[in-house]
Amino acid sequence: SCSSSEFSLDGDYLLGGLFPIHEVEQKISMFSPEAVECKRHIVSKSGYQMFQVMRFAVEEINNSSTLLPNVSLGYEIFDHCSDTKNFPSVFSLVSQNGTIKPQEKLNSHHPKVIALTGPYGSTRTITISPLVTMDLIPWVQYGATSYALSDKLHYPSFIRTVPSNRDSIKMMIRIIQWFGWNWVAFLGGPDNYSEDGLQLFNSYIRNTGICMAYQEILRQSANYSLILKKIDKLNINVIVVFALPIYAENIVRSAIANNIRDKVWIASETWSMNHQLSREPGIGQIGTVIGITDRFMSLPGFHEFIYKTKKMNVYKNNDIESEIQTRTCNQKCDNCSFLTMEETINEDPTLSFAIYAAMYSIAHALHKVLQCDVRQCSKNTTVKPYMLLREIKKLDFLLSGRQVKYDVNGDPAISYAVVLWHTETNHSWLEIVGTYDTNPEMIFTINNSLIPWSNNTSVPFSNCSVECKEGFSRERVGYHDCCFLCKKCPQNSYVNYSRDPFTCFPCGESEWSDERSMACKTRSVVYLQVTEIGSIGVISSTACLITLLMFTLFIFAHNYNTPVVRSAGGSMCFLMLASLIISCLGMFFFFEQPTHVTCHLRNFLYVFFYTVSLSCLTVRAFQIVCVFKMAAEFPNVHRLWVKYNGQWLFVASFSAFYLIVCVIWITVLPTKPSRDFVTFKDQILLVCERGHAVPLIIVVFISWFLGFLCIYFSYMARDLPKNYNEAKSITFSIVFFIVVWILYFTAYVFVKGKYILLLNALTQILSIYGIFISYFIPKSYIMLFQPKKNTAAYFQTSIQNYTQTISRS
């Protein structure tokens, strides 16, 4: 049997310890307040190992010559096997001379122990917490992970050497995200530990893309087969088992019995190092088991301590006096003698360092309170529990190469390991495949190459839906965000999975995108620049034409009284030339970024003044017919035309009327600068809107109507004397005008972008060139190079020849 001396040790300062040396498997309903007798239940190998780790740590501290010199630590340890029926042991630890005074002042009360560790489990810890925290006894816990215990308002003296459930859950979520899973099941037990974990898991998976496909609280009487069938039917391949070992063992054994295959089991730290379960027959078929555990560390000298303890117990068991030793309730372990040294040493070491660190934390704090140096401590100081608590919160020391310190919630720095169960052979073993540390910085990594997935396949698939291809948004199906259809994002939209994977966001006006885009691109701003080759060509041609027109104007002015000038229209030629020069100026407003002024002038100058030139041509064509034909057939009409200077009256009246139409066009329904986002997906064209179509059609119709009149009158005068016959010149210029504009409108249908403006300017300048070349160049040529034809005699001869021809016919 276990010697009573193992449960207690005298010392200057007593520490309390609560360990599950036995475990109550089935809860028994009682109708009276009755304490459970732990020795009647099953021995827990892991609980017995924890019990020995505390004893080992205290002995090592007492043997240290520097930590607590001339001071010895003692302990009082109890077997804590039940969630709610172990109060006598707790009463014993927090009492003073067997009594508890809840109203006693902290300075007046001296509990039996100065600090406490244990019990194992969150439910047991929360159950006894009012008794321990009432006197602010430092409670350095090794095995309670519920995040609720971090609340210092309700648990002011609680400090733990193991990470909380919050850290465990975050670690599990990191593993799930690492492998890209999002369709998981969560199984827990009916206790504070699992309920706290489930609540935290549901909270922390929000906005992570992970969906809780199934959750269940496992009880001893639960239908495990039905639960596993539900999980399999939902195509869930990742199962988080956040439960105490007893429930984890039940679900795993049920999975083996029900032939559940190729799942990924994520084990919480409570059972991730369960060597017995990892050797269960058939464990290899259920899939891959990945567990998380606090980074376990070997304790040098612990094996020798266990060997020495076992040897002493054998000696004492042979001593008859050991049978009459006085024992306290739940400080007995009659069956512990059946545990071999190997069973104790090889048991799950997950909590060994936590217990070891708890003892050293208390010792270091006591070192501070007693103002110890390397030789001695001041025993004159009265140590109160709250004084020890204050120093524990400020600790920061190295223990076996690992940092021991606590945050404001009394939680330690995180140092997790990811372990993989190798169950493919008869000799199962556990391997560390990843780590997660928060001190001095957060580092999480898993070596994927160390994980041989079941059936040697790639990472198992556990997602409700196959991930959408790039540029596809999700369309939710059902309740879960993880279940969706994929919808292609159209042009000028994009999907941003980090922002909202369920929405195709429209691009801004200054942006564009193709179908299936992940981001928008900035549109380039495009306009016709003056430095482009085409622009330089048009500007050069315009400047050249203006120069030629001005030179022609000078020639006509110099030869004003000659027959050629008078036959060309006399003073009206100067109006035509001036109008053509002004209409050329509009070409210079097609380049650079459009403004309200340039949008008006680029078309108004050409349309109005070119049409004035057309009106002059129309009058000129009509006048030629009038002189030679109307004078003979309609003398009275011809007399009125000459008397009232009909040509100038027509040009002036028409110009005034046309000016009014153009002013209405550019003021009431004006063209204005705008940004064209439609023509090109990747460009913003800086253009001038055409304005309302009706005024534009009227303006264009009038110009073209004059053109057709010119052609008609020119046709009537086709047989007039050669010197007076301008029909061919006028007809060519008008036909050329019509043809170039037809070509422009044809190109307008096919050519888009800034170069249509270049074509517009080119069309205008060509139509002006048409009049200049066909009408003014021949006359200028005669005046410059054939002056003999520019005489009255030559013209008189032409008229006489025409008259003779008419009379003979």
Side-chain angles (χ1 to χ4, degrees), residues 67-71 367 370-373 375-379:
L67 183 56
L68 290 174
N70 77 314
V71 171
H367 179 96
L370 294 177
Q371 301 176 350
C372 300
D373 54 28
R375 294 185 301 274
Q376 63 178 2
C377 297
S378 174
K379 289 188 176 181

Side-chain angles (χ1 to χ4, degrees), residues 279-300:
R279 299 186 183 98
E280 190 77 17
I283 187 72
Q285 74 180 28
I286 68 171
T288 304
V289 180
I290 298 175
I292 67 168
T293 181
D294 191 29
R295 192 83 62 83
F296 50 88
M297 302 179 66
S298 61
L299 303 179

Side-chain angles (χ1 to χ4, degrees), residues 119 121-130 139 144 146 148-149 155 192-193:
S122 298
T123 300
R124 296 171 183 179
T125 300
I126 292 172
T127 301
I128 67 170
S129 63
W139 196 1
S146 173
L149 293 166
Y155 308 97
N192 291 92
Y193 170 74

Side-chain angles (χ1 to χ4, degrees), residues 450-488:
L450 297 177
I451 305 178
W453 301 105
S454 58
N455 296 329
N456 294 321
T457 59
S458 58
V459 177
F461 181 81
S462 187
N463 300 68
C464 183
S465 300
V466 177
E467 193 60 44
C468 292
K469 294 180 181 178
E470 191 174 90
F472 283 78
S473 67
R474 300 173 183 175
E475 186 174 342
R476 190 180 284 106
V477 177
Y479 172 75
H480 292 287
D481 287 347
C482 300
C483 304
F484 51 82
L485 298 175
C486 295
K487 181 178 66 176
K488 180 170 62 177

Side-chain angles (χ1 to χ4, degrees), residues 788-799:
K788 64 180 181 179
K789 293 182 179 182
N790 191 14
T791 61
Y794 182 80
F795 273 78
Q796 190 64 34
T797 302
S798 296
I799 293 172

